[in-house]
Amino acid sequence: MTQTTELKRAPLPSDAGGKDLGIFLPIANGGWILSSSAPRIDGSYAYNRQVAQLADGAGYDFIMAMAKWRGYGGATEHWRYAMESQMMMAGLAEVTKEVKVWATVHTLLQNPAVTAKMIMTLDHISQGRAGLNVVNGSYKGEFEQMGAWRDELDHDERYTFAEEWVHAIKRLWTEDTVDYQGKYVTLTDCQSDPKPFSRPFLVCAGSSKRGMAFTINEMDAIFLSGSSKEELAKNSGMAKAMAKEAGRAIKTYSMMTLVLGDTDAEAEALAARYVEGFDEGAWRGMMKAYGFLDVEIGRQNDFTTKAKSGFMSSHLVGAPGTIAAKLIDMLGGCDLDGMMLIFPDYITGVPRFAQEVLPAIREAFPSGVSTGKV
């Protein structure tokens, strides 16, 4: 008889009315601005270790690293030099005590039993702070270079693959032995011990109808974007309505680059300088990686549109008080549960945000939840 281990997810502020604030680590060179005039970020382990230690104990809830296997070129060779996500987060788990550590895995690149074991190990190293960002893969050129692209899996079928992949991992985290026979995933008397201390947090950024359905049914949170506050609010409301209809709840997050200055004018001048150094070659490389006009969904996606300004995500510009007010308005007005933050210069931006912006957000959205290791 198969025995099942009950696992509870580690708490977050949004579980009790607060907001989850995290950092998107600069795991690859250039960070999240396509510009030769932005602060230099080398994507090294040393840089990311410093960022993680600045975040730990400063009030941030999580740090997350992407997975990237090929850069975009251009004058800056953007994202050519990148650390590996799971190994990076394991190292950072060892040098932090409170902040949660979320790694990224592309489903097409790793066997689910291998992933289950690796994320369990991350959870043990961090003593219950692990999370998994699931990416279902749409970067054909990036995967073709290593012989990992699968032509038989179109956009929607990749989510069918991902459903089996995630189901297998969830069972391996909780059952003493697993037999699983799916269309793509097979496990035969498969064992994966020990179990995680807590059930790792699961997140995905599925934006298509099929992607949102997968994320809502299988994940704890969904990353959303929008060309405006109104569109972001609409997307957040849609995701929560879909989850309610499915008998589930979903946390909605977004991603934001913050350009902080002593005054609004100073911050605006900094942003303008970054735009002046826009690396069009890197932008073209990114567009190529995304299939230019994203033929699978039928429109240019929000990510690539924003990047034409140099910023690869939505961005807010201003003095700390201005940024705090804008974030509070967005978090509340869009009914978001959290925000993953990006900084042009993380070494100065991470502590400054913690000291001059974060207290106002915590005051606006109080939570009695104690986060950190279990």
Side-chain angles (χ1 to χ4, degrees):
M1 182 178 177
T2 300
Q3 295 182 339
T4 302
T5 301
E6 294 294 330
L7 291 178
K8 292 184 178 180
R9 176 181 59 75
L12 284 162
S14 61
D15 296 331
K19 303 296 181 183
D20 308 332
L21 280 302
I23 296 170
F24 207 0
L25 292 174
I27 195 171
N29 68 296
W32 290 87
I33 303 178
L34 298 166
S35 174
S36 60
S37 54
R40 182 178 178 272
I41 292 176
D42 63 7
S44 66
Y45 176 71
Y47 189 97
N48 281 274
R49 181 181 59 204
Q50 187 174 358
V51 173
Q53 291 176 316
L54 287 170
D56 194 41
Y60 293 94
D61 300 303
F62 66 89
I63 52 177
M64 193 180 98
M66 67 173 178
K68 181 52 61 176
W69 308 96
R70 187 181 182 92
Y72 296 141
T76 59
E77 294 189 302
H78 197 85
W79 285 2
R80 176 166 184 168
Y81 307 95
M83 297 289 105
E84 193 281 318
S85 184
Q86 293 170 98
M87 293 288 286
M88 168 74 82
M89 299 316 289
L92 298 184
E94 188 66 25
V95 299
T96 55
K97 296 180 179 180
E98 297 181 13
V99 69
K100 292 176 174 59
V101 287
W102 299 351
T104 295
V105 173
H106 287 102
T107 56
L108 295 184
L109 297 184
Q110 282 189 202
N111 181 282
V114 173
T115 302
K117 180 75 76 172
M118 292 186 75
I119 299 300
M120 174 280 296
T121 303
L122 177 62
D123 196 67
H124 278 242
I125 295 170
S126 65
Q127 298 182 60
R129 294 181 283 133
L132 172 60
N133 175 42
V134 176
V135 178
N136 296 308
S138 61
Y139 313 102
K140 186 174 182 179
E142 192 166 336
F143 286 16
E144 277 185 332
Q145 69 174 354
M146 60 181 88
W149 183 253
R150 297 180 61 171
D151 283 319
E152 78 275 17
L153 299 179
D154 63 14
H155 176 272
D156 285 2
E157 195 65 14
R158 282 199 297 273
Y159 283 102
T160 300
F161 176 95
E163 284 170 345
E164 293 187 5
W165 190 88
V166 169
H167 292 167
I169 289 174
K170 288 177 178 179
R171 290 185 59 186
L172 288 166
W173 280 340
T174 58
E175 298 178 23
D176 62 347
T177 182
V178 178
D179 288 296
Y180 187 99
Q181 183 61 59
K183 184 177 180 180
Y184 299 108
V185 174
T186 300
L187 301 176
T188 305
D189 189 25
C190 191
Q191 298 178 4
S192 185
D193 293 301
K195 304 306 181 190
F197 288 141
S198 62
R199 206 265 290 144
F201 191 83
L202 298 172
V203 62
C204 181
S207 58
S208 66
K209 184 177 180 180
R210 182 70 176 89
M212 287 185 72
F214 163 80
T215 305
I216 287 163
N217 288 327
E218 305 297 341
M219 304 284 110
D220 297 302
I222 182 170
F223 282 114
L224 299 169
S225 63
S227 59
S228 64
K229 177 187 170 185
E230 291 73 23
E231 184 177 353
L232 182 57
K234 178 182 176 181
N235 292 339
S236 178
M238 181 190 308
K240 293 190 174 185
M242 289 173 65
K244 184 177 181 180
E245 186 176 345
R248 301 194 77 244
I250 192 77
K251 297 181 186 295
T252 56
Y253 293 162
S254 193
M255 183 169 70
M256 190 66 64
T257 299
L258 304 179
V259 182
L260 282 160
D262 291 336
T263 65
D264 289 351
E266 180 183 277
E268 288 164 3
L270 284 172
R273 186 198 309 168
Y274 305 155
V275 172
E276 287 175 3
F278 174 57
D279 187 346
E280 185 171 351
W283 178 80
R284 290 185 180 278
M286 187 186 73
M287 291 293 286
K288 181 179 179 181
Y290 273 76
F292 285 96
L293 297 182
D294 202 351
V295 295
E296 294 177 330
I297 299 175
R299 61 180 176 84
Q300 185 172 342
N301 67 45
D302 189 57
F303 177 72
T304 57
T305 301
K306 288 184 175 68
K308 199 166 186 178
S309 69
F311 290 92
M312 300 173 74
S313 77
S314 296
H315 60 283
L316 296 177
V317 179
T322 300
I323 294 292
K326 289 180 177 179
L327 282 176
I328 289 169
D329 178 61
M330 182 168 290
L331 287 164
C334 297
D335 193 19
L336 296 174
D337 295 288
M339 190 76 73
M340 185 164 65
L341 305 172
I342 297 166
F343 300 92
D345 179 350
Y346 286 75
I347 305 305
T348 59
V350 167
R352 184 170 193 180
F353 180 89
Q355 296 163 12
E356 301 180 37
V357 181
L358 189 54
I361 297 175
R362 296 302 188 201
E363 183 178 358
F365 305 105
S367 171
V369 170
S370 175
T371 63
K373 65 184 179 180
V374 296

